[in-house]
């Protein structure tokens, strides 16, 4: 490996072994299998020049996104690859920008929850899963009561602080397999997946979560606003919620119908 490549990852010349193992052991565990699967056709002589993106471990413990390009230039008598040449480029900044674009496209910038577009994808996935498993799922549409007076009295900055807190409370009320999305304004959507095959039991589960959400959102909100001059103003606000719930299983119509 070239000295420049080792420097790019933060290693001195002697700290990075000149072997395939020295390279492969530094590939991120989540990327390793995919990298090897991608490279195999090239190693087997079934394809020409390889190109693959993956993360490499830097000396300081961070992970650097790398674009690796290469081709086999030597083989032994049996056809086994013995030597490759190629380049490795640092694409960390490009990946950061791609993630930034993805966040803007699919997530609400204020609460960091999925937006309408991402909600549509998640709901479609939940519908497909329900069709395969025969388990019920549920959609909750909820909006915050008494939210507008807070905005009118203290401004949108304080209103935004309450929305962020409400989003955090919602996430703590559901499971990892469920989805919480911001639908717009003070309106949120919760998608509960994989409930039960029995409708009554699924209904009871959904009601339990809805009641948990109502209790959580009804707790007082305490926000601290920094005023001009450096003084802090504490604002306490009570804001309950209204929730509509629908159960579905093996649903064949568009997800917009369920939301409607």
């Amino acid at each position: 490996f070239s000295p420049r490549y080792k420097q790019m990852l933060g290693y001195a010349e002697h700290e990075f072994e000149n072997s395939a193992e020295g390279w492969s052991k530094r590939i991120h565990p989540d990327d390793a299998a995919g990298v090897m699967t991608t490279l195999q056709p090239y190693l087997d002589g079934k394809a020409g020049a390889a190109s693959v993106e993956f993360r490499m471990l830097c000396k300081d413990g961070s992970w650097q996104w790398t674009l690796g390009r290469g081709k086999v230039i030597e083989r032994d008598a049996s056809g086994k690859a013995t030597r490759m040449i190629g380049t490795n480029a640092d694409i960390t900044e490009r990946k950061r920008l791609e993630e930034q674009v993805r966040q803007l496209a699919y997530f609400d910038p204020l609460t960091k929850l999925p937006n309408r577009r991402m909600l549509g994808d998640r709901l479609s996935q939940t519908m497909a899963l329900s069709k395969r498993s025969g388990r019920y799922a549920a959609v909750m549409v909820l909006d915050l009561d008494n939210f507008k007076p807070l905005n009118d009295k203290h401004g949108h900055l304080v209103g935004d602080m309450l929305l962020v807190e409400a989003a955090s409370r919602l996430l703590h009320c559901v499971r990892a397999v469920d989805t919480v999305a911001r639908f717009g304004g003070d309106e949120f959507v919760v998608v509960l997946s994989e409930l039960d095959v029995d409708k009554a039991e699924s209904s009871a589960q959904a009601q339990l979560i809805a009641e948990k959400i109502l209790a959580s959102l009804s707790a007082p909100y305490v926000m601290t606003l920094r005023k001009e001059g450096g003084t802090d103003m504490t604002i306490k606000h009570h804001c309950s919620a209204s929730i509509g719930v629908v159960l579905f299983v093996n649903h064949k119509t568009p997800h917009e119908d369920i939301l409607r």
Side-chain angles (χ1 to χ4, degrees):
F1 298 105
S2 70
R4 179 70 190 96
Y5 176 55
K6 297 175 182 180
Q7 291 169 13
M8 190 171 76
L9 297 170
Y11 296 97
E13 176 68 31
H14 67 280
E15 294 174 325
F16 197 112
E17 314 91 290
N18 290 303
S19 66
E21 292 74 21
W23 171 78
S24 61
K25 75 179 184 181
R26 291 180 172 89
I27 299 175
H28 194 288
D30 293 345
D31 302 338
V35 170
M36 298 310 168
T37 299
T38 300
L39 290 180
Q40 200 59 52
Y42 302 95
L43 296 175
D44 294 342
K46 298 177 181 177
S51 178
V52 61
E53 296 180 1
F54 52 93
R55 286 163 289 181
M56 284 290 287
L57 179 64
C58 297
K59 184 181 178 180
D60 63 6
S62 63
W63 295 98
Q64 181 184 104
W65 271 105
T66 301
L67 169 61
R69 291 193 178 106
K71 62 180 179 179
V72 176
I73 60 168
E74 285 183 10
R75 296 181 182 275
D76 61 18
S78 66
K80 181 181 177 181
T82 57
R83 188 176 178 216
M84 289 186 75
I85 61 169
T87 61
N88 287 277
D90 179 0
I91 58 169
T92 305
E93 180 63 14
R94 195 198 84 195
K95 283 290 186 179
R96 186 188 68 79
L97 292 173
E98 287 176 356
E99 176 60 22
Q100 197 173 63
V101 170
R102 193 183 78 88
Q103 287 286 333
L104 290 172
Y106 293 104
F107 293 88
D108 171 52
L110 176 65
T111 62
K112 305 300 185 286
L113 295 177
N115 61 16
R116 283 175 178 251
R117 181 183 293 182
M118 176 65 87
L119 171 64
D121 291 344
R122 296 273 181 90
L123 185 48
S124 294
Q125 292 172 16
T126 300
M127 291 168 66
L129 186 61
S130 171
K131 190 173 182 179
R132 290 196 301 270
S133 68
R135 289 175 175 267
Y136 278 84
V139 170
M140 300 179 182
V141 177
L142 62 101
D143 59 50
L144 303 176
D145 306 323
N146 198 34
F147 175 72
K148 188 175 182 297
L150 177 70
N151 261 349
D152 293 343
K153 183 176 181 180
H154 297 289
H156 290 288
L157 178 60
V158 175
D160 287 348
M161 293 167 68
L162 187 143
L163 290 172
V164 170
E165 174 61 23
S168 176
R169 294 184 187 186
L170 283 169
L171 288 171
H172 282 89
C173 291
V174 300
R175 305 161 299 172
V177 296
D178 301 325
T179 295
V180 178
R182 186 183 178 198
F183 209 53
D186 63 342
E187 194 172 28
F188 297 87
V189 175
V190 177
V191 180
L192 305 177
S193 63
E194 293 290 274
L195 292 174
D196 198 274
V197 294
D198 179 71
K199 185 175 183 179
E201 176 61 26
S202 298
S203 179
Q205 291 176 4
Q207 181 175 341
L208 191 66
I209 295 173
E211 290 172 350
K212 183 179 179 181
I213 288 173
L214 286 175
S216 178
L217 294 181
S218 296
Y221 294 83
V222 180
M223 293 149 291
T224 302
L225 180 65
R226 176 62 58 87
K227 300 178 69 177
E228 290 184 14
T231 58
D232 291 341
M233 180 173 70
T234 300
I235 300 166
K236 189 173 182 180
H237 188 74
H238 291 271
C239 194
S240 58
S242 299
I243 304 181
V245 187
V246 63
L247 286 176
F248 63 89
V249 66
N250 195 22
H251 206 74
K252 297 178 181 178
T253 58
H255 67 260
E256 291 86 357
D257 291 352
I258 296 176
L259 288 170
R260 195 176 297 115

